[in-house]
Amino acid sequence: QVQLVESGGGSVEAGGSLTLSCTMSGWKYSRISMGWLRQAPGKEREGVAGIDVDDNGVYADSVVGRFTISRDNTKKTLYLHMNSLKPEDTATYYCAASDRINQMRSLPNNLLLFNFLGQGTQVTVSS
């Protein structure tokens, strides 16, 4: 069973930066596709960024040029580097993994394909 634990959330002013981390355990095989999802109060959960088994990164249009997804396979840790944060980035951010996705050319419309989910970490951006 894959377990995902996020860290690095917090409060920041608009224009600031944060880096989220996610440590994965329980996956015994080779690389797995992973991603970051977020959910703001009263809104549906949305995909933010994904990285596939070939380490190709994909992003939501709203974060292109501001967020970067990366991972350290030796540490089994996924990162989301967030720059130029905006108040609309305020949400609970979830680390996600999928054993159903290999290559990603874009974030999947069906976020349920990310069948492993962390508990979430709060990011608050003030104006």
Side-chain angles (χ1 to χ4, degrees), residues 2-7 20-25 33-38 45 49 51 69-70 76-80 92-98 114-121:
V2 173
Q3 293 185 325
L4 304 168
V5 179
E6 304 97 336
S7 62
L20 305 182
S21 301
C22 170
T23 302
M24 180 179 70
S25 61
S33 291
M34 301 186 72
W36 291 94
L37 315 179
R38 70 184 180 187
R45 189 169 294 172
I51 186 165
I69 189 170
S70 65
K76 296 185 179 180
T77 301
L78 179 73
Y79 303 98
L80 185 67
T92 300
Y93 284 71
Y94 298 91
C95 177
S98 174
F114 286 107
N115 51 325
F116 302 105
L117 209 61
Q119 292 298 309
T121 185

Side-chain angles (χ1 to χ4, degrees), residues 14-74:
S17 300
L18 280 175
T19 294
L20 305 182
S21 301
C22 170
T23 302
M24 180 179 70
S25 61
W27 182 249
K28 303 179 181 179
Y29 306 104
S30 57
R31 295 181 183 179
I32 187 173
S33 291
M34 301 186 72
W36 291 94
L37 315 179
R38 70 184 180 187
Q39 188 165 19
K43 294 188 177 181
E44 292 187 356
R45 189 169 294 172
E46 62 177 353
V48 177
I51 186 165
D52 68 13
V53 296
D54 296 324
D55 283 342
N56 296 310
V58 294
Y59 300 90
D61 289 344
S62 60
V63 306
V64 168
R66 301 189 299 122
F67 291 11
T68 302
I69 189 170
S70 65
R71 63 176 156 192
D72 184 331
N73 290 308
T74 60

